Every structure is written in structure tokens, then in C-alpha cells.
Amino acid sequence: IDVTDTVDLLISGNTFIGGKAAVNIAGVLNENVVVSGNVMRAQYRNGVNTPSDQTLGGNQIAGNAITCDATAHAAYDGILLRAKQIARGNTITLDHGHAGIYPQSNSIVKDNVVRHGTATYSIRMDGGTTAIIVKNNEVTTAVVNAGGGSNEVSDNSVIAA
């Protein structure tokens, strides 16, 4: 599903199998777009892709089950999360790829379970990122915060694979 500059949209209760991304939230004027309660598996590049920082905010990726297998791209991210967006309560299982959740500046990542298999990271923040909150997640490898002290990383637990 491709969504561009949309207000007050709920994408819920779907099963997405295959394709480049299950949900692509494009444009910079999305507000209150909620992607919730979906099953996403075997996408090539992303489960949920939010390629642009948002000027309005309120977008949530919540309560989804996202899995990828060995056919995924090496740069696969379960959730690519941009500014003013929230990833909460998702269960992500990666067999391959880059990261379960890849947040960018001014985003929130809370209460997710990320099992990363042979993927490089559970949750990864790049150098230069700021004002990301990563809290109360359960991950199979420690959260990587290359962005430094302006990101808040707390109360995350490393769990068995």
C-alpha cells in the first residue's frame, strides 16, 4: 500500500506477502496515519517504509507482526522510521537484512520485540541522529546508538534468540 500526504488513515487487519514494502508512507504531509495489527512477511526491502521526515506528525506503526526471510535485500529494515513518527508494540523477526527498526532523528521506538537472526542490528541509530527515544524494547542484540547522547536509550532488554 502506498500512502502519500494523507490525513487520518487507518491501515489495519491486513496480511501482506511479498513485494518491495508492505506499506510505504511517502510525502511530508501525512498526519495521523496508523499502521496497526497487520501481518507483513517476505518483503524485499521494508515491512514499513517511511521515506520522508513528516512536518505534521502523529503517524504510528503499532502492533504489527513483521518477518523477512533470506530472500530479503541486505539493507532490509523491518521499519524505517523518520521524524515525528512512532513505532510501538511491533514484533519483528528478521532472517536477513540491516535492522529490525532503523529510526531517524525525532522519532520514538517503544515496547517492540525485535529478533534479528542474521540481520546486522536489532535497532540501530546512525551517527548524527538526534532526539530519538528508544525505550522498553526487547531485542536479541543490544541497541546501537551511534548518534550519541542526544538520543534517549533506556530500559531495553536483551532476550534470547
Side-chain angles (χ1 to χ4, degrees):
I1 293 178
D2 287 315
V3 176
T4 302
D5 296 336
T6 302
V7 176
D8 298 330
L9 176 67
L10 173 63
I11 300 170
S12 182
N14 301 287
T15 298
F16 301 95
I17 302 170
K20 184 175 180 181
V23 178
N24 184 53
I25 302 172
V28 297
L29 299 175
N30 294 292
E31 181 177 24
N32 298 322
V33 174
V34 177
V35 180
S36 172
N38 299 288
V39 175
M40 304 168 195
R41 68 176 185 259
Q43 279 72 42
Y44 176 71
R45 191 64 174 84
N46 303 98
V48 178
N49 182 34
T50 60
S52 303
D53 290 345
Q54 299 299 302
T55 57
L56 301 173
N59 300 325
Q60 293 190 45
I61 293 88
N64 299 288
I66 301 171
T67 60
C68 83
D69 59 25
T71 63
H73 191 279
Y76 177 95
D77 296 312
I79 300 172
L80 173 57
L81 194 66
R82 298 291 181 165
K84 298 186 181 176
Q85 299 182 76
I86 300 167
R88 180 186 351 211
N90 299 286
T91 301
I92 301 169
T93 305
L94 304 183
D95 186 40
H96 188 69
H98 177 249
I101 303 175
Y102 189 35
Q104 303 301 304
S105 294
N106 301 303
S107 60
I108 299 171
V109 178
K110 257 185 106 177
D111 305 318
N112 300 283
V113 176
V114 181
R115 296 181 186 282
H116 85 299
T118 62
T120 309
Y121 305 103
S122 292
I123 300 172
R124 158 123 176 124
M125 292 159 280
D126 282 338
T129 57
T130 60
I132 300 172
I133 298 171
V134 178
K135 252 182 124 164
N136 299 323
N137 298 284
E138 295 180 1
V139 296
T140 53
T141 58
V143 172
V144 174
N145 179 16
S150 65
N151 295 325
E152 179 186 336
V153 179
S154 64
D155 303 320
N156 299 290
S157 301
V158 176
I159 59 174

